[in-house]
Amino acid sequence: MIKSSLPTAIDLFSGAGGTGLGFIQCGYNILGAVELDKYAAETYEKNLDIGVTQVDIRELEPKNFRETLNLKRGELDVLVGCPPCQGFSQMRVIDGSNHKDNDLVLIYLEFVKEFLPKFAVFENVPGLIKKLYGRVFFDKLCQSLQELGYTLVHQLVDVVDYGVAQHRKR
């Protein structure tokens, strides 16, 4: 049961905490974060003072994670996921269609299905939509979210317009 009056969020593929920091600055209570990289997880914890579950998210059962956080299905306000983008990035010099992390788009979806948050926020590079193999993942994500009852809004943004000191389209 949630005891805070602040809206709640969980930060999947949390990295060093940029997205989490943005949600905190908007008044959210981050209940949990998941990150594989040890150094990114340590940075997140030091900068945001929030514990990070350091694990390959493929090995984390969504139901167990939800229960560990003492949340009921549908209770969470926002589930945010920013999975690694290397397979979809235009910066690749070789084909990324078989990149080992492309399936993380669908892993995020498994967490949405388990938590049933009020809002599901997903961020990635434009290649997820522009590359044919990326589009397969994107279309599956969108179709599944709609089947769960979510209304979709997607747009291309440049993070420089949100205070980041570099152009990065997402």
Side-chain angles (χ1 to χ4, degrees):
M1 181 75 54
I2 299 171
K3 296 174 176 61
S4 172
S5 62
L6 296 175
T8 57
I10 292 175
D11 192 0
L12 302 180
F13 317 100
S14 63
T19 300
L21 177 61
F23 272 88
I24 290 169
Q25 290 175 337
C26 289
Y28 281 78
N29 180 20
I30 306 290
L31 301 178
V34 178
E35 174 55 45
L36 173 61
D37 184 86
K38 173 186 176 184
Y39 300 109
E42 288 174 0
T43 301
Y44 192 106
E45 290 178 343
K46 287 178 182 175
N47 286 337
L48 303 182
D49 197 28
I50 296 169
V52 176
T53 301
Q54 187 189 334
V55 65
D56 183 333
I57 199 166
R58 293 175 186 95
E59 298 172 10
L60 182 62
E61 283 294 322
K63 182 177 181 182
N64 292 345
F65 187 55
R66 180 182 57 77
E67 290 174 348
T68 297
L69 295 171
N70 201 24
L71 287 170
K72 297 176 185 166
R73 293 183 87 206
E75 188 175 21
L76 181 68
D77 291 307
V78 177
L79 181 66
V80 60
C82 307
C85 63
Q86 288 87 345
F88 308 116
S89 174
Q90 293 179 9
M91 301 303 289
R92 297 191 61 79
V93 293
I94 58 172
D95 177 38
S97 62
N98 292 315
H99 192 278
K100 66 179 179 63
D101 290 335
N102 289 354
D103 70 320
L104 293 175
V105 173
L106 303 180
I107 298 296
Y108 168 77
L109 182 59
E110 293 305 312
F111 280 79
V112 173
K113 288 176 181 177
E114 179 57 39
F115 279 84
L116 293 177
K118 294 172 184 77
F119 296 92
V121 175
F122 182 88
E123 177 270 336
N124 214 283
V125 295
L128 181 64
I129 296 172
K130 293 180 179 178
K131 294 182 182 287
L132 185 58
Y133 64 88
R135 190 69 193 211
V136 171
F137 288 99
F138 180 75
D139 289 345
K140 174 69 174 164
L141 176 66
C142 291
Q143 177 186 355
S144 296
L145 289 171
Q146 287 176 319
E147 288 171 0
L148 289 169
Y150 290 96
T151 300
L152 303 183
V153 176
H154 56 88
Q155 63 185 31
L156 180 65
V157 299
D158 189 338
V159 298
V160 77
D161 297 329
Y162 296 88
V164 177
Q166 62 179 302
H167 289 281
R168 293 179 69 145
K169 293 188 178 169
R170 296 290 185 261

